[in-house]
Amino acid sequence: MLELLKAPILTFQEFVLLSGRAVRGIFRKPYYWDDVFLQMDLIGVGSLPVVILTGFFSGAVMALQMSRALQKYGATSQVGMIVAITLVREMGPVLTALMVAGRNSSGMASELGSMKVTEQIDAMRALGTDPIMKLVKPRLLATAFVLPLLTVLADFVGLVGGYLVACKMLHLTTSSEYWSSAWQAIEYDDIAQGLLKPFVFAIVLSLVGCHYGMRTKGGTQGVGRATTQAVVVASVWVVVLTFIIGRVFVTM
Amino acid sequence: MEQTDAGPILIFRNVSFGFDDNLVLRDVSFELTRGATLIIHGAAGSGKTVLLKIALGLLRPTSGRVILFGLDVTEYTEQQWFDVRSRIGVLFQEGGLFDSFSIEDNVGYPLVNQPLLQVPPEEVAPRVEQSLEFVELGHTLEKFPSELSGGMRRRVGIARAIVTQPELMLYDSPTAGLDPITANTIMALIVKGRDMRHATTLIVTHRHQDGEILERYRWDDSIGGLQKLEGVSAGTRYLVLEDGRIAFLGSPAEFDACNDPHVAQFSSR
Ligand SMILES: Nc1ncnc2c1ncn2[C@@H]1O[C@H](COP(=O)(O)OP(=O)(O)OP(=O)(O)O)[C@@H](O)[C@H]1O
Ligand SMILES: [Mg+2]
């Protein structure tokens, strides 16, 4: 039993150590801004299509599924509210984070993993740069900046998707009613929750991707393994954390 | 950092190293004097790369001491190591060239990033060119590592290792996986680097021919090629690793005369 737990605990310890060094590194020179902007482009601009698509359809599906229930209670005018709350609180942050986990945590793990097995990380250290500063920190900063923006975009596109289904397809309610009920439903609390979540997810997504990349061993096969593990672990963290953060906000 | 010219450049004192529970280096001790050449032989997995990475501070020994340039670096922090590493050039077994950088940026990387060097920006490009000329790849500046052949990548690796004019050179299997002609070209470059700059050289290799070249030839700049020595050069020593232990350490003459069957496999002539 103890033996069984040893490996995951050691992995987690390594992860915490890496996170500590990366977070401490944020406040220290050197800053490689070129790398930060490159990563922002890669994560932010690169994820736009998939984030817009998932955002749009999750809003549309929400309106579609809710239409029957709302008709039953004669509350179809409230469809904007339901779409807005579910999107801003949960679906927007979680789905965006899962997409970015699939695209970028895996990308980080495979990129850093290949660098590890071809001794590029060793070379970096040998030639005077700290891989935490040069590789991990830019990815952490870029993700933490870009993921909340992507989430806001997904929320908005989702509302548009819900609007098209509710008003143009099913004629549940009027346009003005949809938008005003959506707008009124969102409270400061929801916005805080909806922005805190992607920020926390971003930290976890980037650090998990980098962690599995940096500890890759065993040649190209190891890179594949690291990539898979990064996506799985990052995704699980996202759903666990959204529950924990949600729990905190519900009791508040 | 203080300079200590007297005494050996690199000392391993009873160094052991293990990944988790299994020891891959056991009680390794040797000294490398200034200007000398140490040739390390050993079967795959005997711990040669690990030894080299300990000398660079990329791995920390489980026990024993490492002394570099007269300083005990065993307990050094990563920050302190950066200063020490500025004085060491290294060619990694897997190359370690940055895929996403051009050849020019690869070779210039240590000049721009080594904290101790402080090379003025306008000096970087000429030094990179000079270093690439040294390995006869002056025309590849704009290319990327993936566009070069294996032998060319090895040469770029050498150019990057020598661009900072380091006092100590570490080569990990520079000829592995190359045809004999290219391998000899690489060895000629290594001898050239050693003799023109009087760099102390530690080289890991599988081929006994590599040892012979280092031991019996020197670079003659007047003919632009290797010249066979009368007798053998004094500063060359051999080290054979067997399962992380030193199976042999001594001069070329002792190496040739060694009767140990494992060691004899590497000196087969
Ligand atoms: N990151 C690692 N984690 C665990 N064990 C490792 C690691 N790197 C190397 N080893 C083990 O350490 C031992 C020595 O490895 P090393 O890379 O030094 O061999 P080598 O002598 O360089 O071999 P080769 O000639 O194939 O390059 C091997 O048994 C290897 O399995
Ligand atoms: Mg090796």
Side-chain angles (χ1 to χ4, degrees):
Chain A
M1 184 62 194
L2 268 176
E3 277 303 301
L4 222 63
L5 281 176
K6 201 174 145 194
I9 288 176
L10 279 177
T11 310
F12 186 70
Q13 183 190 352
E14 256 178 66
F15 175 71
V16 172
L17 282 176
L18 175 89
S19 309
R21 286 170 63 196
V23 171
R24 250 181 296 139
I26 291 178
F27 305 102
R28 276 211 308 255
K29 284 205 283 188
Y31 291 91
Y32 298 99
W33 292 113
D34 286 356
D35 295 287
V36 177
F37 293 129
L38 184 76
Q39 290 300 322
M40 280 185 186
D41 184 50
L42 222 63
I43 301 164
V45 182
S47 304
L48 276 181
V50 64
V51 164
I52 289 175
L53 276 173
T54 44
F56 180 86
F57 282 102
S58 56
V61 157
M62 213 53 219
L64 197 63
Q65 292 295 346
M66 283 299 145
S67 63
R68 194 175 303 158
L70 290 172
Q71 271 164 346
K72 211 171 181 175
Y73 300 106
T76 49
S77 60
Q78 299 300 307
V79 62
M81 178 186 95
I82 294 205
V83 172
I85 288 180
T86 47
L87 271 179
V88 172
R89 281 194 198 158
E90 286 297 342
M91 303 254 286
V94 170
L95 288 176
T96 309
L98 288 178
M99 292 302 134
V100 171
R103 275 192 84 247
N104 300 105
S105 296
S106 62
M108 291 173 200
S110 66
E111 190 184 357
L112 301 203
S114 332
M115 292 184 74
K116 178 73 195 286
V117 299
T118 54
E119 293 182 320
Q120 291 178 55
I121 303 229
D122 284 327
M124 225 168 230
R125 290 172 67 194
L127 302 179
T129 33
D130 183 348
I132 303 272
M133 297 300 231
K134 174 86 179 158
L135 297 173
V136 180
K137 193 167 82 173
R139 284 166 176 74
L140 175 64
L141 289 176
T143 320
F145 180 74
V146 158
L147 194 60
L149 295 181
L150 285 175
T151 305
V152 170
L153 182 74
D155 291 346
F156 178 71
V157 176
L159 277 172
V160 173
Y163 164 76
L164 288 179
V165 169
C167 303
K168 301 291 164 198
M169 205 170 125
L170 301 176
H171 304 290
L172 295 175
T173 170
T174 63
S175 302
S176 61
E177 212 170 20
Y178 177 89
W179 289 112
S180 65
S181 80
W183 187 243
Q184 278 160 13
I186 302 170
E187 291 167 12
Y188 283 120
D189 225 30
D190 301 316
I191 295 177
Q193 187 175 169
L195 287 178
L196 177 71
K197 275 182 183 172
F199 184 72
V200 174
F201 295 161
I203 295 171
V204 172
L205 291 184
S206 54
L207 288 177
V208 166
C210 293
H211 165 72
Y212 279 101
M214 302 264 285
R215 70 193 289 275
T216 303
K217 41 183 162 257
T220 37
Q221 216 185 357
V223 178
R225 217 166 24 235
T227 310
T228 318
Q229 279 174 329
V231 178
V232 171
V233 171
S235 309
V236 171
W237 269 112
V238 166
V239 289
V240 172
L241 281 171
T242 192
F243 176 78
I244 294 173
I245 298 173
R247 179 81 186 80
V248 171
F249 271 87
V250 167
T251 41
M252 252 173 23
Chain B
M1 206 164 75
E2 77 232 63
Q3 181 87 23
T4 23
D5 276 326
I9 280 202
L10 171 65
I11 305 175
F12 268 46
R13 208 169 274 159
N14 308 104
V15 171
S16 296
F17 179 83
F19 287 107
D20 303 326
D21 297 332
N22 68 325
L23 275 183
V24 297
L25 276 190
R26 298 157 207 255
D27 206 21
V28 169
S29 303
F30 66 87
E31 296 190 351
L32 184 56
T33 44
R34 186 171 286 272
T37 305
L38 181 69
I39 300 155
I40 299 182
H41 284 305
S46 53
K48 306 182 297 293
T49 298
V50 167
L51 186 152
L52 210 99
K53 288 189 179 170
I54 289 175
L56 256 180
L58 299 176
L59 297 172
R60 194 181 286 276
T62 323
S63 65
R65 321 261 356 140
V66 178
I67 291 128
L68 260 170
F69 308 112
L71 303 165
D72 188 331
V73 294
T74 320
E75 312 286 341
Y76 266 28
T77 62
E78 184 78 0
Q79 283 310 314
Q80 292 173 299
W81 263 108
F82 280 133
D83 294 347
V84 182
R85 291 183 196 133
S86 311
R87 303 166 71 180
I88 308 176
V90 57
L91 175 72
F92 285 99
Q93 185 168 13
E94 306 291 341
L97 293 182
F98 304 121
D99 297 325
S100 52
F101 289 3
S102 69
I103 299 304
E104 180 174 13
D105 292 341
N106 260 292
V107 177
Y109 195 90
L111 294 178
V112 178
N113 288 289
Q114 288 285 26
L116 264 199
L117 292 174
Q118 310 281 356
V119 180
E122 69 274 10
E123 267 179 43
V124 171
R127 284 181 67 173
V128 167
E129 266 168 55
Q130 193 188 353
S131 196
L132 278 168
E133 287 300 333
F134 183 91
V135 298
E136 287 148 30
L137 284 177
H139 54 285
T140 59
L141 282 173
E142 304 296 319
K143 290 209 160 70
F144 282 84
S146 57
E147 299 172 89
L148 301 183
S149 73
M152 286 160 98
R153 278 203 293 273
R154 228 34 91 70
R155 272 145 71 189
V156 173
I158 293 178
R160 186 173 72 176
I162 60 169
V163 75
T164 57
Q165 307 280 336
E167 300 153 67
L168 173 62
M169 292 294 310
L170 310 175
Y171 296 99
D172 194 352
S173 316
T175 58
L178 297 179
D179 61 274
I181 298 169
T182 315
N184 287 338
T185 319
I186 298 280
M187 286 315 297
L189 287 174
I190 290 174
V191 173
K192 182 177 167 189
R194 177 190 69 180
D195 295 344
M196 284 179 67
R197 301 191 302 104
H198 308 288
T200 313
T201 305
L202 186 155
I203 175 170
V204 165
T205 174
H206 290 280
R207 295 197 330 153
H208 64 84
Q209 296 99 316
D210 294 350
E212 278 168 48
I213 293 174
L214 284 163
E215 173 193 329
R216 307 226 174 127
Y217 289 81
R218 72 183 167 78
W219 181 260
D220 190 335
D221 212 30
S222 58
I223 60 166
L226 292 187
Q227 177 95 54
K228 201 166 189 331
L229 285 173
E230 312 294 323
V232 292
S233 66
T236 309
R237 290 171 76 73
Y238 282 92
L239 190 160
V240 178
L241 278 179
E242 184 180 2
D243 285 333
R245 251 186 274 272
I246 293 189
F248 173 85
L249 176 62
S251 69
E254 290 166 333
F255 186 54
D256 289 341
C258 186
N259 289 324
D260 183 301
H262 185 80
V263 176
Q265 281 171 10
F266 292 101
S267 58
S268 63
R269 302 195 161 163

Coordinates of all heavy atoms in Angstrom, one line a residue, chain B residues 34-75:
Chain B
R34 N 45.8 20.7 -15.6 CA 45.6 21.7 -16.6 C 46.3 21.3 -17.9 O 47.5 20.9 -17.9 CB 46.2 23.1 -16.1 CG 46.0 24.2 -17.1 CD 46.3 25.5 -16.4 NE 45.4 25.9 -15.4 CZ 44.3 26.6 -15.6 NH1 44.1 27.1 -16.9 NH2 43.4 27.0 -14.7
G35 N 45.6 21.4 -19.0 CA 46.2 21.1 -20.3 C 46.2 19.6 -20.6 O 46.6 19.2 -21.8
A36 N 45.8 18.8 -19.7 CA 45.8 17.3 -19.9 C 44.6 16.9 -20.7 O 43.6 17.6 -20.9 CB 45.9 16.6 -18.6
T37 N 44.6 15.6 -21.2 CA 43.5 15.0 -21.8 C 43.1 13.7 -21.1 O 43.9 12.9 -20.8 CB 43.8 14.6 -23.3 OG1 44.3 15.8 -23.9 CG2 42.6 14.1 -24.0
L38 N 41.8 13.6 -20.8 CA 41.3 12.4 -20.1 C 40.3 11.7 -21.1 O 39.3 12.3 -21.5 CB 40.7 12.7 -18.8 CG 40.2 11.4 -18.0 CD1 41.3 10.6 -17.6 CD2 39.3 11.9 -16.9
I39 N 40.6 10.5 -21.4 CA 39.7 9.7 -22.3 C 38.9 8.7 -21.5 O 39.6 7.9 -20.8 CB 40.5 9.0 -23.4 CG1 41.3 10.1 -24.2 CG2 39.6 8.2 -24.3 CD1 42.5 9.5 -24.9
I40 N 37.6 8.8 -21.5 CA 36.8 7.9 -20.7 C 36.1 6.9 -21.6 O 35.4 7.2 -22.5 CB 35.8 8.7 -19.9 CG1 36.5 9.6 -19.0 CG2 34.9 7.7 -19.1 CD1 35.6 10.4 -18.1
H41 N 36.4 5.6 -21.4 CA 35.8 4.5 -22.1 C 34.8 3.8 -21.1 O 34.9 3.9 -19.9 CB 36.8 3.5 -22.6 CG 37.6 3.9 -23.8 ND1 37.0 4.3 -24.9 CD2 38.9 4.0 -24.0 CE1 37.9 4.6 -25.8 NE2 39.1 4.5 -25.2
G42 N 33.9 3.1 -21.7 CA 33.0 2.3 -20.9 C 31.8 1.8 -21.7 O 31.4 2.5 -22.7
A43 N 31.2 0.7 -21.3 CA 30.1 0.1 -22.0 C 28.9 1.0 -21.9 O 28.9 1.9 -21.0 CB 29.8 -1.3 -21.5
A44 N 27.9 0.8 -22.7 CA 26.6 1.6 -22.6 C 26.1 1.4 -21.2 O 26.0 0.3 -20.7 CB 25.7 1.2 -23.6
G45 N 25.7 2.5 -20.6 CA 25.1 2.4 -19.2 C 26.1 2.3 -18.1 O 25.7 2.1 -17.0
S46 N 27.3 2.5 -18.4 CA 28.3 2.4 -17.3 C 28.5 3.7 -16.5 O 29.1 3.7 -15.5 CB 29.7 2.0 -17.9 OG 30.1 2.9 -18.9
G47 N 27.8 4.7 -16.9 CA 27.8 5.9 -16.1 C 28.6 7.1 -16.6 O 28.9 8.0 -15.9
K48 N 29.0 7.0 -17.9 CA 29.9 8.0 -18.5 C 29.2 9.4 -18.5 O 29.8 10.4 -18.1 CB 30.4 7.6 -19.9 CG 31.0 6.2 -19.9 CD 31.5 5.9 -21.3 CE 30.4 5.8 -22.4 NZ 29.4 4.6 -22.1
T49 N 28.0 9.4 -19.1 CA 27.2 10.6 -19.2 C 26.9 11.2 -17.8 O 27.0 12.4 -17.6 CB 25.9 10.4 -20.0 OG1 26.3 10.0 -21.3 CG2 25.1 11.7 -20.1
V50 N 26.6 10.3 -16.9 CA 26.3 10.8 -15.5 C 27.6 11.5 -14.9 O 27.5 12.6 -14.3 CB 25.9 9.6 -14.6 CG1 25.9 10.0 -13.2 CG2 24.5 9.2 -15.1
L51 N 28.7 10.9 -15.1 CA 30.0 11.5 -14.6 C 30.2 12.9 -15.2 O 30.5 13.8 -14.5 CB 31.2 10.5 -15.0 CG 32.5 10.9 -14.5 CD1 33.4 9.6 -14.4 CD2 33.3 11.9 -15.4
L52 N 29.9 13.0 -16.5 CA 30.1 14.3 -17.1 C 29.1 15.3 -16.6 O 29.5 16.5 -16.4 CB 29.9 14.1 -18.6 CG 30.6 15.0 -19.6 CD1 31.8 14.3 -20.1 CD2 29.7 15.4 -20.7
K53 N 27.9 14.9 -16.4 CA 26.9 15.8 -15.9 C 27.2 16.2 -14.4 O 26.8 17.4 -14.0 CB 25.5 15.3 -16.0 CG 25.1 15.2 -17.5 CD 23.6 14.8 -17.7 CE 23.3 14.9 -19.2 NZ 22.0 14.3 -19.5
I54 N 27.8 15.4 -13.7 CA 28.2 15.8 -12.3 C 29.3 16.8 -12.4 O 29.3 17.8 -11.7 CB 28.7 14.5 -11.5 CG1 27.5 13.6 -11.2 CG2 29.4 15.0 -10.2 CD1 27.8 12.4 -10.5
A55 N 30.2 16.6 -13.4 CA 31.3 17.6 -13.5 C 30.8 19.0 -13.9 O 31.4 20.0 -13.7 CB 32.3 17.1 -14.5
L56 N 29.6 19.0 -14.5 CA 29.0 20.3 -14.9 C 28.0 20.8 -13.9 O 27.4 21.9 -14.2 CB 28.2 20.0 -16.2 CG 28.8 20.5 -17.5 CD1 27.8 20.1 -18.7 CD2 29.0 22.0 -17.6
G57 N 27.7 20.1 -12.9 CA 26.8 20.5 -11.9 C 25.3 20.3 -12.3 O 24.4 20.9 -11.7
L58 N 25.1 19.5 -13.3 CA 23.7 19.2 -13.7 C 23.1 18.2 -12.8 O 21.9 18.1 -12.7 CB 23.7 18.8 -15.2 CG 24.2 19.8 -16.2 CD1 24.2 19.3 -17.6 CD2 23.3 21.1 -16.1
L59 N 24.0 17.3 -12.3 CA 23.5 16.3 -11.3 C 24.4 16.5 -10.0 O 25.6 16.9 -10.2 CB 23.7 14.9 -11.8 CG 22.9 14.5 -13.0 CD1 23.4 13.1 -13.5 CD2 21.4 14.5 -12.7
R60 N 23.8 16.3 -8.9 CA 24.6 16.5 -7.6 C 24.9 15.2 -7.1 O 24.1 14.3 -7.0 CB 23.7 17.2 -6.7 CG 24.4 17.8 -5.4 CD 23.4 18.5 -4.5 NE 22.9 19.8 -5.1 CZ 23.6 20.9 -4.9 NH1 24.7 20.9 -4.2 NH2 23.1 22.0 -5.4
P61 N 26.2 15.0 -6.8 CA 26.7 13.6 -6.3 C 26.0 13.3 -5.0 O 25.6 14.1 -4.2 CB 28.2 13.8 -6.1 CG 28.4 15.2 -6.1 CD 27.4 15.9 -6.9
T62 N 25.7 12.0 -4.8 CA 25.1 11.5 -3.6 C 26.1 11.6 -2.4 O 25.8 11.9 -1.3 CB 24.6 10.0 -3.7 OG1 24.1 9.9 -5.1 CG2 23.6 9.7 -2.8
S63 N 27.4 11.2 -2.8 CA 28.4 11.4 -1.8 C 29.7 11.7 -2.5 O 29.8 11.5 -3.7 CB 28.5 10.2 -0.9 OG 29.0 9.1 -1.6
G64 N 30.7 12.2 -1.8 CA 32.0 12.5 -2.4 C 32.1 14.0 -2.7 O 31.1 14.7 -2.5
R65 N 33.2 14.4 -3.2 CA 33.4 15.8 -3.4 C 33.8 16.1 -4.9 O 34.5 15.2 -5.5 CB 34.5 16.5 -2.5 CG 34.5 16.0 -1.1 CD 33.8 16.8 -0.1 NE 33.3 18.1 -0.3 CZ 32.1 18.5 0.2 NH1 31.4 17.7 1.0 NH2 31.6 19.7 0.0
V66 N 33.5 17.2 -5.4 CA 33.9 17.6 -6.8 C 34.6 18.9 -6.6 O 34.1 19.9 -6.0 CB 32.7 17.8 -7.7 CG1 33.2 18.3 -9.1 CG2 31.9 16.5 -7.9
I67 N 35.8 19.0 -7.1 CA 36.6 20.3 -7.1 C 36.9 20.7 -8.5 O 37.5 20.0 -9.2 CB 37.9 20.1 -6.2 CG1 37.5 19.8 -4.7 CG2 38.8 21.3 -6.3 CD1 38.0 18.7 -4.1
L68 N 36.5 21.9 -8.8 CA 36.7 22.5 -10.1 C 37.4 23.8 -10.0 O 37.1 24.6 -9.2 CB 35.3 22.8 -10.7 CG 34.7 21.8 -11.7 CD1 33.3 22.2 -12.0 CD2 35.5 21.8 -13.0
F69 N 38.5 24.0 -10.8 CA 39.3 25.2 -10.8 C 39.7 25.5 -9.4 O 39.8 26.7 -9.0 CB 38.5 26.4 -11.4 CG 37.9 26.1 -12.7 CD1 36.5 26.0 -12.9 CD2 38.7 25.9 -13.8 CE1 36.0 25.7 -14.1 CE2 38.2 25.6 -15.1 CZ 36.8 25.5 -15.2
G70 N 40.0 24.5 -8.6 CA 40.5 24.7 -7.2 C 39.4 25.1 -6.2 O 39.7 25.3 -5.1
L71 N 38.1 25.0 -6.6 CA 37.1 25.4 -5.7 C 36.2 24.1 -5.4 O 35.9 23.4 -6.4 CB 36.2 26.5 -6.3 CG 36.9 27.8 -6.7 CD1 36.0 28.6 -7.6 CD2 37.2 28.5 -5.4
D72 N 35.9 23.9 -4.2 CA 35.0 22.8 -3.9 C 33.5 23.2 -4.3 O 32.9 24.0 -3.6 CB 35.1 22.5 -2.4 CG 34.3 21.2 -2.1 OD1 33.3 20.9 -2.8 OD2 34.7 20.5 -1.2
V73 N 33.0 22.6 -5.4 CA 31.7 23.0 -5.9 C 30.6 22.1 -5.5 O 29.5 22.2 -6.0 CB 31.8 23.1 -7.4 CG1 32.7 24.3 -7.9 CG2 32.2 21.8 -8.0
T74 N 30.9 21.1 -4.7 CA 30.0 20.1 -4.4 C 28.6 20.6 -3.9 O 27.6 20.2 -4.3 CB 30.5 19.1 -3.3 OG1 31.9 18.9 -3.6 CG2 29.8 17.8 -3.3
E75 N 28.7 21.6 -3.0 CA 27.4 22.1 -2.4 C 26.9 23.3 -3.1 O 26.1 24.0 -2.6 CB 27.7 22.4 -0.9 CG 28.4 21.3 -0.1 CD 27.4 20.1 0.2 OE1 26.2 20.3 0.1 OE2 27.9 19.0 0.4

